Amino acid sequence: VWDYASITKRFQFWRMFSACLLSAVNFNFLLSLYYRFQYTYNLETGKFYGRSADLLYFLLFSAVLINLFNVWTQMAVLW
């Protein structure tokens, strides 16, 4: 799924995000999903209260940095 050549040369950007969806649904996945929801909720009601666009920019910027780190180190950080 994660193929750098397909992403850069064929512009298949969906490959960056679909790799996260291929894991099995187990307790670890559900717990991780819960913590992501809780962390995002706390950010939305705390630091980014009333600034939804800033929160979206922050989340997208973080995702891009994680993907760039994955390409640079050739390891999957999110697994």
Side-chain angles (χ1 to χ4, degrees):
V1 172
W2 180 264
D3 184 19
Y4 185 71
S6 294
I7 294 170
T8 56
K9 293 180 181 159
R10 292 190 225 150
F11 304 108
Q12 296 178 357
F13 297 114
W14 58 269
R15 290 181 176 270
M16 292 187 287
F17 306 106
S18 65
C20 300
L21 301 174
L22 294 178
S23 64
V25 178
N26 53 18
F27 183 70
N28 188 24
F29 177 76
L30 293 176
L31 200 59
S32 178
L33 192 63
Y34 170 74
Y35 282 125
R36 286 182 195 154
F37 171 76
Q38 197 67 22
Y39 179 70
T40 305
Y41 178 76
N42 288 338
L43 281 176
E44 190 175 17
T45 57
K47 187 171 226 159
F48 291 103
Y49 181 73
R51 302 181 316 177
S52 298
D54 290 341
L55 176 63
L56 179 65
Y57 177 76
F58 171 73
L59 293 174
L60 290 175
F61 183 72
S62 300
V64 167
L65 283 181
I66 289 171
N67 281 318
L68 288 176
F69 186 75
N70 286 341
V71 169
W72 180 57
T73 60
Q74 294 297 317
M75 59 186 274
V77 174
L78 296 177
W79 296 112

